Amino acid sequence: MLRRKGYIPPRFMTKDKARIIAFFPFDRSRAFRRPSESPSRKDTMKHLIPALLLAAVLPSFAADAPKTRAVPAPKGFPFAVETQILSEDSYQVKITDKKTGKVQTIEDLTVFSGFIEGNADDLATIRDYNGDGHPDIAVRVIGGYTLPADELYLFDPATRQFKTVPEDKDFVRSGSAEIIRKGCVRVDYKNSARDYTQDDYCWKNGGWQLQRPNNAKAHKAAKARRK
């Protein structure tokens, strides 16, 4: 007489047992497996430990990944620029050449503690500061008297890189740079605990040249704007 797998003679089967078996078919091969066939504790831990270690490491990688923000750029700008926030007072700027795929990173940028939290979208600006027809990049850094300042990275067409100006051809004082006309900027800075000053610079002969100092009216306007 052929009996199906898991067959139990009727004389040993109660009504309740028959009902249970109908819902949960009995597998004799699993019920009577030899001890040697069961997975050992050692084998179980062998597979479990790597999984637990991976689960513990993944959150730390996610926490260490910098927060990135795309920097708005003019139409047709051949670079993708993004800021990567590293901590509450430091960040870097990643510049990717869409044509060549090469990446330039402006590193070690530091601002006052807490500044990034409310100004994460204003850490970098893309504009043509020196008026040569190529957009440049201004990044926020620490200025004087707890004020932020702009550091300009001008585009070099020969190398397709953004570079700072040599110190002897750069602004005398650091401050916020605002374009006032083609190739000229106004640097607004604080020269004492209470006083604000503006200096105008124009790009000539490969460097920034200080123009005639602003009059009292411009000085007063700068001070009012900062109140």
Side-chain angles (χ1 to χ4, degrees), residues 91 109-112 123 139-143 147-151 174:
Y91 70 102
L109 298 173
T110 305
V111 291
F112 293 106
L123 296 175
V139 298
R140 287 292 200 175
V141 295
I142 292 178
L147 291 178
D150 290 321
E151 185 174 19
S174 62

Side-chain angles (χ1 to χ4, degrees), residues 64-137:
D64 293 338
K67 298 179 181 178
T68 62
R69 292 175 181 265
V71 179
K75 185 177 181 180
F77 188 58
F79 296 87
V81 182
E82 63 181 17
T83 55
Q84 299 179 331
I85 300 172
L86 306 177
S87 68
E88 65 175 7
D89 60 359
S90 66
Y91 70 102
Q92 62 186 20
V93 177
K94 179 182 177 182
I95 307 166
T96 305
D97 192 329
K98 297 178 181 178
K99 182 179 179 180
T100 65
K102 292 183 178 180
V103 175
Q104 176 187 355
T105 304
I106 303 175
E107 301 176 325
D108 302 325
L109 298 173
T110 305
V111 291
F112 293 106
S113 180
F115 178 81
I116 291 179
E117 183 177 356
N119 301 275
D121 293 327
D122 301 319
L123 296 175
T125 307
I126 302 173
R127 298 186 66 184
D128 183 8
Y129 287 91
N130 62 352
D132 65 350
H134 299 284
D136 311 299
I137 299 176

